[in-house]
Amino acid sequence: MKICLALCVILLFSCIEDPKSTYIPPLGGHSEGTWYQIFPVSFYDSNGDGIGDINGITQKLDYLNDTVTAAHKSRTATGGDCDESLHVAGIWLTPVMPSPSYHKYDTKDYMDIDPTLGTLDDFRHLISEAHKRGIKVIIDFVMNHSSEQHPWFQKALEEVRAGKPGRYASYYHFYYGATPPENYKFKTADSNYQSSYYKWWGKAAENAWFEGSFWTGMPDLNWDSVALRKEFERIVEFWLSAGLDGFRLDATSWPYNYRGMERDSDGINGEEKNIELWTWFNKTCQRYNPNVYLIGECWEGEDTIANYYRSGMNYFAFQFSTQNGGGGTIKWGAEEHGEDFVKGLYYWDQKIKIRNPNAISAPFLSNHDQTRSAMYLGENQRKMAASLLVFSPGTPFLYYGEEIGLTSPTYESPDANRRGTMCWSWPKVAGMPDPPPEWNWWQATPESGQGVMQQLKDPGSLLRYYIRANNLKNKYPWIAYGSIEMFPVTDFHVAAYRMTDTDPESDTYRKSVVIVHNTDPGAGHGIAFDPGTISRHFGFSVSGWGVPDPTSFTGGTFTLDPYSTVVFEEVTP
């Protein structure tokens, strides 16, 4: 039977104009440096209850960026690098709002902190201390659905069960009839079929059903409701006025999720409706903080992700992750295909800038929904992948534990197995949380058996490699937003590209560097330069950590050591 809304009062709250794809610039200005993703319950436990918390993150801020410490100031005063901190530019916290689940992607209060993690005062203190160190803070914001325990949904159920659906019922998708609505149909090249995976229906009352795309414990929000949008304007103001720097938006392709279809039966383009929603959200955030940083999860194909840049937000580049089909752009590069890696960088940059000239990519190796990258890469490949990630144009994101080679199972398993305890030391030390409740895997350490404390002392460790890469990247922060140009090479192992500063307000405006990676683990390879165009160069290698300069210059050619990265600073015009 046809799906219909029961009362005209729903229409009153749900009426909204047709989607428009007005272009506005991305928010947050230049997002420089490497960012770090934290799953709070698994990161650091400050009070000994076995659960990672907000204060635990605050206590570990010097590990993430120690710019306020005496050790850092002493080293940098003499021109040296600090080798005790990752020097990240920002942190993304997976959900911290009150929730009945360990993962907290089902929010029951959008304006508070889950008590297992701490208090709002603890969170404000974290933001203050992070900002002292030059670290921005964003949190996961789940807008496709709420928890079934949210007061909005409970009030909506009361309205529906009383036969008087009104304001709160308009916040969700209620359908009326003897049976739940049909699942949306997916059209393939040779047939039509129905999917039972993407749509779940909960029974609200006799002849009344609600939609839950992920499951019925997470009822979907109705973004055609003007009243709901007003609620979220208030929520956005609350967080941004507290000093938060922005949001990571979960499941951005789901609110109008006519998945697998260009248009639904009513001729409404779901993708365009989603872009309208995120354009509105972008503008809303901009009212309260013009420099807010917004980044979306759009776990779709490249063309779809690129199209979402029209909303003015930034998006994760899933094709770069190690779990992407075929292994991902960065994994392919680390497996000796440097030239193909550069082509992937360049063409992705061109694709997103067609949709938005100010678009900035966000590459990553793995995240909380994926098998950890250490499971797909060998020991030295992890270091090569670190170079390829950190020096990619855009805002690279590092999943907590990735810098020490933290592992997770590659087989089908609970998501909790991908969100295991951060290994600060092995054997285990105080402050290391218990694994999440759904954890069922035996191994909770890096493959090397070394935690953070051990790897900081080991110059050849993966952690020290990440630190060195970030130290060098931070000398040229405009790599994040500069223009990319492929640089000619004669061997497919070599990845080479020029990054040029494009910000007229930058102190280094119009400077450029040529970034070169030799992805061959067994042989050196060269790149031709006129030595008069190079002012200086910096580099390091996987196999020869102690070598200060992994290059040799002969007859106009720089030969790079196996598995090495070099940044050539060009003479300013």
Side-chain angles (χ1 to χ4, degrees):
M1 64 181 299
K2 290 186 177 180
I3 300 170
C4 63
L5 294 174
L7 299 174
C8 63
V9 67
I10 298 295
L11 296 176
L12 174 64
F13 289 111
S14 299
C15 181
I16 198 163
E17 64 182 9
D18 289 336
K20 292 180 173 57
S21 54
T22 305
Y23 160 75
I24 57 176
L27 302 180
H30 298 146
S31 183
E32 302 167 356
T34 302
W35 279 56
Y36 192 83
Q37 178 191 355
I38 295 175
F39 190 70
V41 299
S42 294
F43 194 62
Y44 193 76
D45 171 19
S46 70
N47 58 12
D49 65 357
I51 301 172
D53 47 46
I54 299 297
N55 287 334
I57 297 171
T58 304
Q59 290 179 21
K60 288 298 183 180
L61 285 176
D62 284 346
Y63 168 69
L64 299 175
N65 195 325
D66 68 348
T67 53
V68 298
T69 66
H72 175 86
K73 292 176 181 178
S74 174
R75 285 186 175 91
T76 55
T78 58
D81 291 329
C82 182
D83 56 10
E84 298 178 358
S85 165
L86 283 169
H87 297 106
V88 301
I91 55 176
W92 152 32
L93 309 183
T94 59
V96 295
M97 298 170 186
S99 165
S101 67
Y102 88 92
H103 56 71
K104 309 197 187 313
Y105 278 93
D106 44 349
T107 307
K108 62 181 185 180
D109 185 346
Y110 282 96
M111 291 169 53
D112 204 353
I113 296 293
D114 192 284
T116 62
L117 298 179
T119 66
L120 279 170
D121 283 342
D122 294 335
F123 188 72
R124 293 187 183 100
H125 180 61
L126 168 63
I127 293 175
S128 175
E129 290 299 310
H131 286 174
K132 288 179 184 178
R133 294 161 174 79
I135 303 173
K136 292 182 179 181
V137 181
I138 64 174
I139 59 174
D140 235 313
F141 208 36
V142 186
M143 292 172 55
N144 179 69
H145 51 262
S146 74
S147 167
E148 63 181 347
Q149 297 183 21
H150 197 290
W152 294 343
F153 188 67
Q154 294 302 309
K155 292 176 182 178
L157 289 178
E158 291 175 7
E159 292 176 353
V160 171
R161 288 167 180 169
K164 298 178 180 179
R167 178 185 182 91
Y168 292 102
S170 82
Y171 289 10
Y172 297 90
H173 292 286
F174 283 95
Y175 300 96
Y176 303 90
T179 59
E182 287 185 326
N183 295 303
Y184 294 136
K185 292 183 179 180
F186 288 17
K187 186 174 183 180
T188 63
D190 53 359
S191 66
N192 289 325
Y193 66 95
Q194 290 185 191
S195 166
S196 60
Y197 174 76
Y198 290 112
K199 293 290 176 183
W200 294 72
W201 307 100
K203 190 169 186 178
E206 197 64 33
N207 297 327
W209 311 85
F210 66 89
E211 179 185 44
S213 296
F214 288 88
W215 72 294
T216 54
M218 298 176 174
D220 283 12
L221 292 166
N222 172 27
W223 285 101
D224 281 343
S225 169
V226 174
L228 177 68
R229 295 197 183 202
K230 291 294 184 183
E231 293 272 18
F232 272 85
E233 288 178 7
R234 185 168 61 93
I235 294 165
V236 164
E237 181 181 18
F238 172 82
W239 287 109
L240 296 183
S241 65
L244 191 69
D245 295 293
F247 303 100
R248 178 265 188 186
L249 285 309
D250 182 65
T252 59
S253 62
W254 282 77
Y256 296 96
N257 59 333
Y258 310 114
R259 296 173 59 90
M261 299 168 54
E262 182 180 356
R263 296 178 182 276
D264 75 346
S265 58
D266 296 321
I268 298 174
N269 188 310
E271 188 171 306
E272 288 300 313
K273 289 280 285 182
N274 283 327
I275 292 171
E276 178 277 324
L277 170 63
W278 301 120
T279 301
W280 164 82
F281 184 77
N282 191 341
K283 291 179 178 178
T284 299
C285 292
Q286 195 172 193
R287 290 208 304 267
Y288 302 109
N289 179 0
N291 293 315
V292 69
Y293 179 59
L294 302 177
I295 183 162
E297 175 203 38
C298 182
W299 203 332
E300 306 289 346
E302 288 186 33
D303 289 343
T304 300
I305 298 173
N307 201 29
Y308 272 68
Y309 270 91
R310 289 168 41 223
S311 68
M313 292 183 0
N314 298 296
Y315 291 86
F316 289 105
F318 274 84
Q319 72 272 29
F320 286 82
S321 73
T322 51
Q323 196 170 314
N324 185 63
T329 303
I330 293 177
K331 181 175 182 288
W332 185 242
E335 293 175 338
E336 305 185 39
H337 296 272
E339 186 177 13
D340 288 340
F341 165 76
V342 172
K343 290 178 181 177
L345 283 185
Y346 177 78
Y347 290 117
W348 178 241
D349 185 76
Q350 299 303 300
K351 178 175 282 192
I352 61 177
K353 281 184 166 57
I354 289 173
R355 274 72 174 187
N356 188 323
N358 296 316
I360 296 176
S361 180
F364 66 99
L365 296 180
S366 62
N367 65 20
H368 61 292
D369 288 324
Q370 299 178 324
T371 298
R372 286 182 170 274
S373 64
M375 304 303 292
Y376 294 108
L377 300 165
E379 181 179 357
N380 285 338
Q381 286 179 339
R382 293 169 197 163
K383 293 178 180 178
M384 194 69 247
S387 291
L388 298 177
L389 173 69
V390 169
F391 288 97
S392 293
T395 307
F397 274 76
L398 184 62
Y399 186 35
Y400 79 97
E402 202 152 46
E403 74 276 20
I404 58 173
L406 203 62
T407 54
S408 69
T410 56
Y411 50 81
E412 288 297 321
S413 58
D415 284 339
N417 286 352
R418 303 178 180 97
R419 306 165 187 176
T421 302
M422 177 64 172
C423 186
W424 296 102
S425 179
W426 198 258
K428 185 177 180 180
V429 295
M432 288 178 59
D434 297 331
E438 296 179 24
W439 176 274
N440 65 7
W441 196 44
W442 65 272
Q443 188 173 359
T445 60
E447 193 173 69
S448 66
Q450 293 185 327
V452 170
M453 293 171 61
Q454 291 82 19
Q455 292 199 28
L456 282 174
K457 298 176 183 178
D458 179 4
S461 68
L462 179 62
L463 174 56
R464 289 285 292 274
Y465 195 92
Y466 267 102
I467 289 173
R468 184 154 186 170
N470 278 330
N471 277 327
L472 180 51
K473 167 75 172 288
N474 289 339
K475 293 180 185 294
Y476 308 100
W478 39 265
I479 287 174
Y481 56 83
S483 65
I484 181 174
E485 174 187 351
M486 289 193 291
F487 199 84
V489 297
T490 57
D491 190 282
F492 74 90
H493 292 95
V494 179
Y497 51 101
R498 174 181 286 113
M499 296 299 303
T500 303
D501 186 7
T502 56
D503 182 4
E505 298 181 2
S506 171
D507 293 337
T508 59
Y509 180 51
R510 301 310 300 173
K511 282 191 175 180
S512 62
V513 294
V514 176
I515 300 167
V516 186
H517 308 278
N518 176 13
T519 64
D520 188 339
H525 293 282
I527 185 166
F529 272 119
D530 176 351
T533 65
I534 304 299
S535 57
R536 57 180 178 169
H537 63 280
F538 304 94
F540 51 96
S541 67
V542 169
S543 56
W545 179 266
V547 180
D549 182 1
T551 66
S552 56
F553 180 72
T554 306
T557 298
F558 280 93
T559 299
L560 278 67
D561 288 350
Y563 257 11
S564 62
T565 295
V566 180
V567 176
F568 295 92
E569 185 177 308
E570 296 188 296
V571 174
T572 304

